[in-house]
Amino acid sequence: MTVPEDRGPGRPWKAGPPVEAPPAAATAKPIRIGYARCSTAQQELASQLTALEPVCKQIFSEKISTRITTRPELEKALKLAYDIKEAAPDQEVILTVRELNVPRPQRR
């Protein structure tokens, strides 16, 4: 802290300019965006959606084959996350995936 030049022994104290308080740390809760996917008619999305609903602001879901490389709903979820970060860089955004249906390797 700097000492004003007019301050010294035997001189009365004078109030200086008010000190601004530092900005408060961001206490905003993270925004969670959900993504659910399954690939076959036998698999169901309901359990994933049920698990994501209480914690996610918005949920994107799709039934789409693993052979298809473009995932439109995943792209929408990522775009929303990027848009939020662009609008509010300090806001934490979390993309949440409940479970991955990954096929197990076949035994030979």
Side-chain angles (χ1 to χ4, degrees):
M1 177 175 259
T2 60
V3 177
E5 290 181 25
D6 65 341
R7 183 77 192 260
R11 292 194 176 148
W13 178 83
K14 290 191 300 188
V19 178
E20 292 183 29
T27 57
K29 288 174 54 174
I31 295 175
R32 288 187 177 267
I33 299 170
Y35 175 71
R37 184 193 69 81
C38 65
S39 61
T40 65
Q42 292 81 18
Q43 294 174 336
E44 48 87 26
L45 283 170
S47 63
Q48 293 180 52
L49 296 174
T50 302
L52 291 171
E53 281 175 357
V55 294
C56 296
K57 273 279 204 223
Q58 189 166 353
I59 301 170
F60 296 86
S61 64
E62 58 193 351
K63 269 195 173 190
I64 194 165
S65 172
T66 54
R67 292 185 211 125
I68 297 174
T69 57
T70 57
R71 307 271 161 76
E73 293 300 308
L74 178 59
E75 294 300 321
K76 288 179 190 174
L78 290 170
K79 182 179 181 332
L80 177 61
Y82 287 128
D83 289 348
I84 292 170
K85 286 303 281 183
E86 187 177 328
D90 295 334
Q91 176 64 54
E92 187 176 3
V93 180
I94 301 171
L95 181 65
T96 305
V97 179
R98 171 67 180 157
E99 56 189 62
L100 295 173
N101 295 322
V102 179
R104 295 182 180 198
Q106 295 184 1
R107 294 183 183 180
R108 292 182 185 188

